[in-house]
Amino acid sequence: MADEAGLRISPFADYKPLMDRGAALVEANRCLNCYDAPCTRACPTSIDVPSFIKKIAHDNLRGSARVILEANILGASCARVCPTEELCEGACVLHDLHEEPIQIGRLQRYATDPVVLGQKPLFQSAPPNGRRVACIGAGPASLGCAAELAQLGYEVVAFEKASEPGGLNTYGIADYKMDYATALAEIAWVKELGVNVQCNTEVGKDIPLASLFEDFDAVFMGVGLDGVSAIGIPGEDLEGSQDALDFIAELKTRPKEEVSLKGLSVAVIGGGNTAIDAVTQASRLGAERVYLVYRRTRERMGAYAHEQELARRDGGIFVLEAAPAEILGEYGRVIGLKCQKTRSDAQGGLEPVPGSDFVLEVDRVFRATGQAKHRAFFEQLEGLEVDDRGRVIADEDGRTSVERLWTGGDCVSGGQEVVNAVAEGKRAAQSIHQTLEGAR
């Protein structure tokens, strides 16, 4: 892989690299500073985009970062991982003038990186108010909630079962969007607000769930989703068959040479953004061929169009209208993926095409067919209402059917963006504060 000057660069180099000062000033001065800006309305955390860009144009980076981070405490990571093409940049009025939209994500990164990754304090926690809140999980929703509460004077403890906090931000996002070290550096900056994160502590196993309701005034549940479910075809237990998220976590936390796929052929099953991440990561780890196997047409894929294009540019081979039937093995290892062509029936459903079986000769198979819900954990919470898809039911402020329990993030939505999770955590924090203040 080479840059515009023909220089070889790492395949895991930044997807949206940091702007230098000159480029940022030019870009900031292109902004029309719209009134009632559509870019702000398109942001789930309602960042005042014209305001922070105007501050960049005036060389006031700290002021710009403050505007962003007051609205979204994970503004540095969201600058990297947000699908800006679908959100703020997709709403930019310059589209109507047939011009390129403002690169809002890269400007956001330009403003926030010096503060967040430079570990420079910007906010302070309020004097202690004597209240305690527990967060279950330390992913984006819990961090959004915890940071807001800490600034209101609450003692917040987040219990995280993994060895590091951050959830999907730390372990589940393609490395060229955000690497492991950057995710942890941002969390370290958030913890400076006084948020206590206890890792390697699984609620319900290492600490009783009931104790949280005894020892804390309120509980926020931000447990996200579980791993990718089994598809239910023969051969999933073979060596070389793996959950796509486990594959991404491995490449983010281990030296790249230890997880190299050089010379191998890979099949990724699924049509969402995780499948795209698995395709691009496998390709950048040196795989010779990377197939994306999806049972419907490209138009029906859950992955954003720009993500699909990214996978195609990375050499991903789309095998559409094809369903996996069996993972083939020899001596306990994957040697192929047997598939069958599909077609839509009269009711819009899918049916297999008789006699259309074919085999992809691959060495690895990654499943990216949708994550399971934490149903067993939810059953431990007496009276907790979930819908028929296993998602927690909550009102718009995150209040659940269990007294003193709020929630937010993927365990409610079933899977959205990091920025949605942060927004929901922040709204829940305000609801917790109003409820507990009213109880005084």
Side-chain angles (χ1 to χ4, degrees):
M1 183 176 290
D3 62 10
E4 293 176 354
L7 300 175
R8 187 165 182 77
I9 58 175
S10 165
F12 291 94
D14 278 350
Y15 172 49
K16 296 179 180 178
L18 182 65
M19 285 179 166
D20 61 27
R21 178 174 176 272
L25 289 176
V26 168
E27 192 67 8
N29 280 292
R30 289 179 62 229
C31 180
L32 301 179
N33 300 120
C34 303
Y35 175 76
D36 192 24
C39 49
T40 294
R41 284 187 274 117
C43 175
T45 55
S46 301
I47 292 174
D48 187 341
V49 176
S51 175
F52 92 70
I53 290 180
K54 193 170 186 177
K55 286 179 169 55
I56 291 175
H58 288 85
D59 248 355
N60 179 6
L61 281 196
R62 189 173 174 83
S64 179
R66 179 179 290 278
V67 170
I68 297 164
L69 297 167
E70 279 180 344
N72 180 353
I73 198 70
L74 299 188
S77 59
C78 286
R80 292 166 165 79
V81 306
C82 259
T84 52
E85 296 87 344
E86 311 295 328
L87 298 174
C88 53
E89 293 176 17
C92 181
V93 298
L94 290 179
H95 286 290
D96 298 332
L97 301 175
H98 304 288
E99 294 183 18
E100 290 295 315
I102 301 297
Q103 298 181 64
I104 298 170
R106 293 186 68 191
L107 286 174
Q108 183 168 314
R109 177 176 174 178
Y110 175 74
T112 54
D113 269 15
V115 171
V116 175
L117 303 188
Q119 301 295 312
K120 296 176 181 174
L122 192 61
F123 308 119
Q124 291 184 333
S125 54
N129 64 12
R131 300 282 196 182
R132 305 181 77 216
V133 176
C135 292
I136 307 175
S142 286
L143 291 172
C145 180
E148 191 75 5
L149 289 171
Q151 293 175 77
L152 292 167
Y154 289 81
E155 178 187 350
V156 187
V157 182
F159 298 98
E160 170 58 54
K161 68 178 181 181
S163 60
E164 296 288 355
L168 201 62
N169 256 16
T170 303
Y171 294 105
I173 291 175
D175 216 36
Y176 57 85
K177 295 177 183 173
M178 185 166 69
D179 62 29
Y180 187 65
T182 300
L184 295 182
E186 181 178 51
I187 295 165
W189 181 79
V190 173
K191 287 168 66 177
E192 288 300 309
L193 290 169
V195 177
N196 179 358
V197 179
Q198 296 186 13
C199 291
N200 298 308
T201 307
E202 183 174 353
V203 174
K205 180 180 176 183
D206 301 309
I207 179 171
L209 182 55
S211 70
L212 300 189
F213 290 92
E214 294 168 0
D215 298 339
F216 294 86
D217 296 288
V219 177
F220 177 82
M221 180 171 63
V223 295
L225 297 172
D226 209 344
V228 177
S229 303
I231 302 170
I233 59 175
E236 287 187 77
D237 57 343
L238 290 167
E239 187 179 347
S241 169
Q242 190 176 15
D243 176 336
L245 285 172
D246 289 342
F247 159 61
I248 292 171
E250 280 184 7
L251 77 89
K252 289 176 73 74
T253 56
R254 295 173 56 188
K256 297 292 186 292
E257 58 271 19
E258 290 184 8
V259 291
S260 171
L261 297 173
K262 188 175 182 180
L264 301 182
S265 292
V266 172
V268 178
I269 303 171
N273 291 316
T274 298
I276 295 294
D277 278 356
V279 168
T280 56
Q281 299 292 265
S283 176
R284 295 175 189 219
L285 282 172
E288 190 170 295
R289 284 190 180 83
V290 184
Y291 300 101
L292 183 146
V293 179
Y294 180 57
R295 57 188 178 152
R296 298 182 186 274
T297 63
R298 186 164 177 169
E299 291 71 26
R300 299 289 299 275
M301 290 176 66
Y304 296 120
H306 71 273
E307 295 273 354
Q308 294 181 35
E309 179 59 21
L310 185 62
R312 193 193 63 77
R313 288 206 307 268
D314 271 9
I317 303 167
F318 286 29
V319 182
L320 302 172
E321 296 185 285
E326 181 180 359
I327 300 174
L328 307 175
E330 187 175 79
Y331 305 115
R333 289 192 57 83
V334 171
I335 61 167
L337 179 66
K338 183 179 179 181
C339 301
Q340 188 174 30
K341 295 295 290 181
T342 62
R343 63 189 175 197
S344 298
D345 59 24
Q347 288 73 42
L350 281 183
E351 62 180 16
V353 177
S356 64
D357 293 2
F358 63 95
V359 173
L360 299 173
E361 294 182 359
V362 296
D363 309 285
R364 304 287 297 273
V365 174
F366 299 134
R367 303 186 314 276
T369 48
Q371 293 173 257
K373 315 297 190 301
H374 289 287
R375 293 176 187 269
F377 180 75
F378 300 152
E379 288 173 357
Q380 297 179 50
L381 287 155
E382 186 177 353
L384 182 67
E385 294 182 357
V386 298
D387 65 15
D388 56 1
R389 296 170 63 183
R391 299 175 300 188
V392 179
I393 296 174
D395 67 15
E396 63 180 9
D397 293 323
R399 191 190 298 266
T400 73
S401 55
V402 176
E403 188 176 1
R404 295 192 290 125
L405 177 67
W406 280 258
T407 188
D410 286 354
C411 64
V412 178
S413 67
Q416 284 190 309
E417 305 300 335
V418 171
V419 66
N420 297 98
V422 176
E424 291 165 19
K426 186 176 179 179
R427 281 201 301 273
Q430 287 295 335
S431 178
I432 291 169
H433 178 56
Q434 290 166 10
T435 301
L436 296 182
E437 282 296 294
R440 283 186 185 274

